[in-house]
Amino acid sequence: DAKTTQPPSMDCAEGRAANLPCNHSTISGNEYVYWYRQIHSQGPQYIIHGLKNNETNEMASLIITEDRKSSTLILPHATLRDTAVYYCIVRAPNQAGTALIFGKGTTLSVSS
Amino acid sequence: ETGVTQSPTHLIKTRGQQVTLRCSSQSGHNTVSWYQQALGQGPQFIFQYYREEENGRGNFPPRFSGLQFPNYSSELNVNALELDDSALYLCASSLTNEQYFGPGTRLTVT
């Protein structure tokens, strides 16, 4: 079972920031938080991951709370092409045979 | 574009038949994972191959099997197809921790 909890859906206006929350209250000390997204009928796309510090790349920012029990993915200026299902996943690194355990994710709808 | 390709993109099979799906991993990636995604659900892990050996498996029956070749490309074989095997089959290649997914193969079993 997925170790994360996400709201099933969120709406965002184009050009505004989209803030997607994730709860992972049982995360272990060596587990990272990963975010992927899946645009309709395509393969999931890696977005970003982090351990305890905030991370930023060209796609998004990841804010992890100090107790690491929750995190927020931020898309700073959402566009229509950001409409997708967003998955928050916790996973320990470098474990042979470990898989990404996907929950149902958050369906983000960006509208003009 | 992740550099991971899958073939075919779509296919239709009849219950009881066998199917082989193919995946070419991103250059240099030595690990391939396969996932099944039913409509409206998140992807479910089938198994993973590392340097031609299976090194992890999800809750799927033995009629789901696979291979990884020396060039790290991979096959997923499903025997005795059932209607519930209808799904999007995804492969993902990795070298370290990030997995990069292909576009998937849509399998319909009638």
Side-chain angles (χ1 to χ4, degrees):
Chain A
D1 289 347
K3 296 177 65 174
T4 61
T5 304
Q6 298 177 252
S9 63
M10 293 185 65
D11 295 320
C12 181
E14 190 176 23
R16 305 297 292 267
N19 298 285
L20 292 90
C22 180
N23 181 291
H24 33 78
S25 58
T26 61
I27 191 170
S28 300
N30 67 337
E31 288 182 319
Y32 283 69
V33 179
Y34 286 80
W35 283 84
Y36 281 76
R37 74 180 182 183
Q38 188 172 25
I39 296 169
H40 183 61
S41 296
Q42 298 181 20
Q45 176 189 23
Y46 166 79
I47 301 173
I48 198 168
H49 74 283
L51 182 63
K52 54 184 178 180
N53 297 320
N54 298 338
E55 302 288 344
T56 296
N57 63 20
E58 65 278 4
M59 288 183 68
S61 295
L62 174 60
I63 309 298
I64 303 174
T65 57
E66 192 168 343
D67 63 7
R68 300 205 330 118
K69 293 185 177 182
S70 65
S71 60
T72 301
L73 178 75
I74 301 172
L75 307 179
H77 304 287
T79 70
L80 298 178
R81 288 179 294 180
D82 292 322
T83 293
V85 179
Y86 287 78
Y87 297 99
C88 170
I89 299 166
V90 297
R91 177 170 178 254
N94 297 327
Q95 281 187 315
T98 58
L100 296 172
I101 308 299
F102 290 83
K104 293 192 174 182
T106 295
T107 299
L108 175 68
S109 299
V110 181
S111 56
S112 56
Chain B
E1 286 290 332
T2 62
V4 180
T5 60
Q6 293 186 242
S7 62
T9 50
H10 298 85
L11 77 165
I12 300 172
K13 289 286 189 177
T14 303
R15 190 172 52 182
Q17 287 187 315
Q18 179 266 343
V19 69
T20 298
L21 310 181
R22 295 178 174 83
C23 172
S24 290
S25 59
Q26 191 177 117
S27 178
H29 285 189
N30 55 20
T31 303
V32 174
S33 305
W34 285 91
Y35 294 80
Q36 179 196 65
Q37 186 173 24
L39 205 59
Q41 303 296 317
Q44 301 296 309
F45 175 65
I46 303 175
F47 44 57
Q48 183 181 90
Y49 278 81
Y50 170 69
R51 293 189 174 182
E52 304 179 59
E53 297 288 333
E54 183 181 303
N55 71 336
R57 190 177 183 92
N59 188 26
F60 280 80
R63 60 190 185 82
F64 285 78
S65 63
L67 283 173
Q68 187 180 30
F69 300 99
N71 67 353
Y72 302 137
S73 65
S74 178
E75 286 182 354
L76 164 66
N77 299 290
V78 187
N79 294 322
L81 283 166
E82 301 177 359
L83 297 179
D84 285 348
D85 296 334
S86 295
L88 181 67
Y89 288 85
L90 296 158
C91 77
S93 76
S94 56
L95 181 61
T96 55
N97 296 308
E98 296 81 48
Q99 295 192 9
Y100 295 91
F101 285 81
T105 293
R106 173 73 62 186
L107 172 65
T108 302
V109 182
T110 62

